[in-house]
Amino acid sequence: MSNHAPHKCKRRIVDPAYLVRYRQHTIKDSDEQWKIYFKGWNNHVLDKKTARNFDKTEKLLGKRVADYCREHNISSMWSDKTSEKKKVTYPW
């Protein structure tokens, strides 16, 4: 299999709605597994609440993104409606 892996990769973000097919069974129920469409970021520094759903963020957007969110009190927002779907960005 490694002989068929690409030698170079593009730095674009893979759509989480695609990845969820492979990772949904590992996302905690409390992180609302059925909400697979990325809606944006919620910076809780402004509203003084505590960020959550880091498990889902890590499973669908990677450890580096989740660690940044933990450090900066940011939550990823998700929806089950395609009409609310936005292009995935990084929180930094």
Side-chain angles (χ1 to χ4, degrees), residues 48-61:
K48 308 243 188 293
K49 294 182 180 178
T50 302
R52 58 183 186 85
N53 78 353
F54 300 121
D55 179 65
K56 185 175 195 173
T57 302
E58 186 167 331
K59 296 285 189 323
L60 297 179
L61 298 173

Side-chain angles (χ1 to χ4, degrees), residues 60-75:
L60 297 179
L61 298 173
K63 183 166 174 33
R64 181 176 168 214
V65 174
D67 286 346
Y68 182 89
C69 290
R70 286 181 188 102
E71 184 179 334
H72 293 91
N73 199 27
I74 297 171
S75 289

Side-chain angles (χ1 to χ4, degrees), residues 4-19:
H4 298 286
H7 296 285
K8 291 183 179 181
C9 296
K10 295 181 180 175
R11 296 192 59 99
R12 70 174 192 235
I13 302 170
V14 176
D15 186 345
Y18 175 78
L19 287 177

Side-chain angles (χ1 to χ4, degrees), residues 15-21 23-24 27-39 52-53 56-57 60-61 76-82 84-85:
D15 186 345
Y18 175 78
L19 287 177
V20 80
R21 294 181 229 175
R23 300 192 176 153
Q24 191 166 23
I27 297 171
K28 295 187 301 188
D29 287 338
S30 61
D31 283 349
E32 302 171 321
Q33 300 175 22
W34 61 93
K35 292 185 177 182
I36 63 170
Y37 302 108
F38 180 78
K39 280 179 51 174
R52 58 183 186 85
N53 78 353
K56 185 175 195 173
T57 302
L60 297 179
L61 298 173
S76 56
M77 297 185 300
W78 303 87
S79 176
D80 56 351
K81 298 173 182 71
T82 56
E84 296 180 348
K85 179 181 176 179

